[in-house]
Amino acid sequence: MRENGMAKSSDIPVIDLQELADNPKELKNNKLREAYEDWGCFRLTNHRIDLNLMKEMKKVVGSLLDLPLEIKMRNTEQVIARSGYMAPSATNPLYEGLGLYDMASSHAVRSFCSRLDACPHQTKVIEAYGKAIHELMMDISEKMAESLGVEVVEEYFKEWVCESWINKYSFTPQTIGSSGVQIHTDSSFFTILQDDEEVGGLQVMSKSGSFVDVPPCPGSLFVILGDIAQVWSNGRFGAVKHRVECKEARVRVSIASLLLGPKEGDIEAPKELVDPHHHPRLFLPFSYEHYRKLRSSQKMHAGEALALLHASTTFD
């Protein structure tokens, strides 16, 4: 329900994976499409990721984010633009993060852990979490495709990179009411967020343009559609703008896992979603790395860079 036309936290869709499995195909696809199209995000429950693994992962990333700056700065292997270590900045002074490119790769995880002097137990936890999240990503991406009537072979999304960001917000009494991270969209296909189970602050923008709080919900995950979802769906899905606001004087930690795009080749809408008369192709094919660099170089962090790749765009 909405009061005075304003969206509320309770309006944000909740997708129960077990309930989806029990529903007829048509009802399942309708519920998914409504979440993707109306909000571009949803709460995910019964996701089958072990809760003890989630808790242990939270402890591990918390300890890595508490490392001395000189150790965190070793994480400088930037496979793509804006990955590695993100230090507090003038734009986001309360935020810092560590990026892990291709968290589904044991080799990449071990390299990441080695740079940060992580112990064997920490490495084992990150590997197990990466594997579990990647399996969940494959399930969600296939369900997204199915909801649009797109048939994808089993290996289709497995060739897409899964990046991880562990995020720390250092909130103090003096920063209450200020921004933890600027308004942005994710550059990913979608993001699976394990949010802080105690400290809130995440807000998503509704279709009306108002921000809606996403309160902590222990044991659940939160899925956020990014710019690549808009491209891949040929405009049927939209990336959701979101931000983090300082609500209380506590450290806030979250784990974001992003399904980016193909390791090789271009991103483009499947042929089933393109019709020259009713649904012409909206975006030119492009590589994910090109898009990430474009967003970074143009300082366009809320989806504006997609306009530069529109199929109707012409250059002199």
Side-chain angles (χ1 to χ4, degrees):
M1 296 293 291
R2 298 189 180 192
E3 297 175 0
N4 301 321
M6 296 294 289
K8 302 183 298 180
S9 299
S10 57
D11 295 324
I12 297 173
V14 177
I15 299 294
D16 183 322
L17 277 188
Q18 184 58 52
E19 185 181 282
L20 282 190
D22 297 337
N23 273 340
K25 183 176 180 179
E26 184 177 351
L27 288 176
K28 174 175 67 176
N29 288 343
N30 286 343
K31 186 165 187 178
L32 285 170
R33 278 200 307 273
E34 287 175 5
Y36 301 146
E37 294 172 359
D38 293 348
W39 279 88
C41 61
F42 55 89
R43 176 79 63 189
L44 187 66
T45 61
N46 283 325
H47 44 69
R48 298 187 294 275
I49 294 184
D50 186 85
L51 298 184
N52 288 325
L53 177 59
M54 290 173 63
K55 290 178 182 177
E56 195 61 28
M57 181 66 174
K58 187 70 173 297
K59 291 179 184 177
V60 168
V61 302
S63 65
L64 294 181
L65 289 164
D66 285 340
L67 288 169
L69 178 61
E70 59 269 22
I71 296 180
K72 288 184 284 193
M73 289 183 67
R74 293 180 194 164
N75 193 46
T76 55
E77 186 178 351
Q78 297 200 26
V79 182
I80 54 177
R82 293 178 65 81
S83 62
Y85 173 65
M86 193 80 69
S89 64
T91 303
N92 298 309
L94 307 179
Y95 167 84
E96 67 173 322
L98 286 165
L100 165 57
Y101 181 79
D102 202 4
M103 68 180 292
S105 162
S106 292
H107 174 73
V109 170
R110 289 168 188 167
S111 295
F112 170 83
C113 291
S114 176
R115 289 191 293 273
L116 299 174
D117 294 338
C119 70
H121 171 71
Q122 291 173 318
T123 303
K124 183 178 179 180
V125 169
I126 296 174
E127 275 193 274
Y129 187 85
K131 181 180 178 181
I133 284 288
H134 188 253
E135 289 176 356
L136 179 59
M137 284 181 160
M138 296 303 98
D139 187 17
I140 293 174
S141 57
E142 288 171 12
K143 284 180 169 59
M144 287 177 70
E146 182 183 287
S147 74
L148 290 177
V150 177
E151 293 187 13
V152 295
V153 296
E154 186 177 349
E155 298 298 315
Y156 180 88
F157 289 110
K158 285 187 177 179
E159 297 304 312
W160 289 35
V161 176
C162 173
E163 184 184 29
S164 177
W165 273 96
I166 56 177
N167 311 300
K168 179 180 180 180
Y169 303 85
S170 300
F171 294 152
T172 67
Q174 293 74 31
T175 63
I176 291 176
S178 60
S179 174
V181 71
Q182 65 183 332
I183 298 171
H184 66 284
T185 59
D186 290 346
S187 62
S188 58
F189 185 41
F190 63 83
T191 299
I192 296 179
L193 181 69
Q194 181 181 332
D195 209 0
D196 196 302
E197 67 274 7
E198 296 179 353
V199 185
L202 177 64
Q203 297 179 328
V204 296
M205 184 181 285
S206 68
K207 279 194 169 182
S208 68
S210 61
F211 276 102
V212 180
D213 287 327
V214 181
C217 185
S220 71
L221 296 167
F222 198 71
V223 178
I224 300 171
L225 268 61
D227 296 347
I228 300 305
Q230 187 172 342
V231 175
W232 187 87
S233 67
N234 206 30
R236 290 165 176 81
F237 302 152
V240 61
K241 292 180 181 179
H242 52 288
R243 66 185 181 188
V244 174
E245 295 287 284
C246 176
K247 300 284 188 179
E248 55 183 307
R250 298 174 66 184
V251 171
R252 182 179 184 276
V253 174
S254 65
I255 307 162
S257 305
L258 298 80
L259 187 63
L260 304 183
K263 293 180 182 179
E264 298 180 3
D266 290 338
I267 298 162
E268 58 183 321
K271 62 181 185 302
E272 297 97 322
L273 302 180
V274 179
D275 180 306
H277 302 292
H278 302 292
H279 294 286
R281 189 174 296 279
L282 297 180
F283 301 96
L284 300 168
F286 58 86
S287 71
Y288 180 79
E289 183 177 4
H290 172 71
Y291 182 62
R292 184 84 155 238
K293 287 180 178 177
L294 185 66
R295 269 183 50 131
S296 179
S297 64
Q298 299 297 316
K299 294 182 170 52
M300 295 178 169
H301 304 302
E304 310 96 329
L306 286 180
L308 304 178
L309 299 169
H310 201 279
S312 62
T313 301
T314 57
F315 299 93
D316 295 331

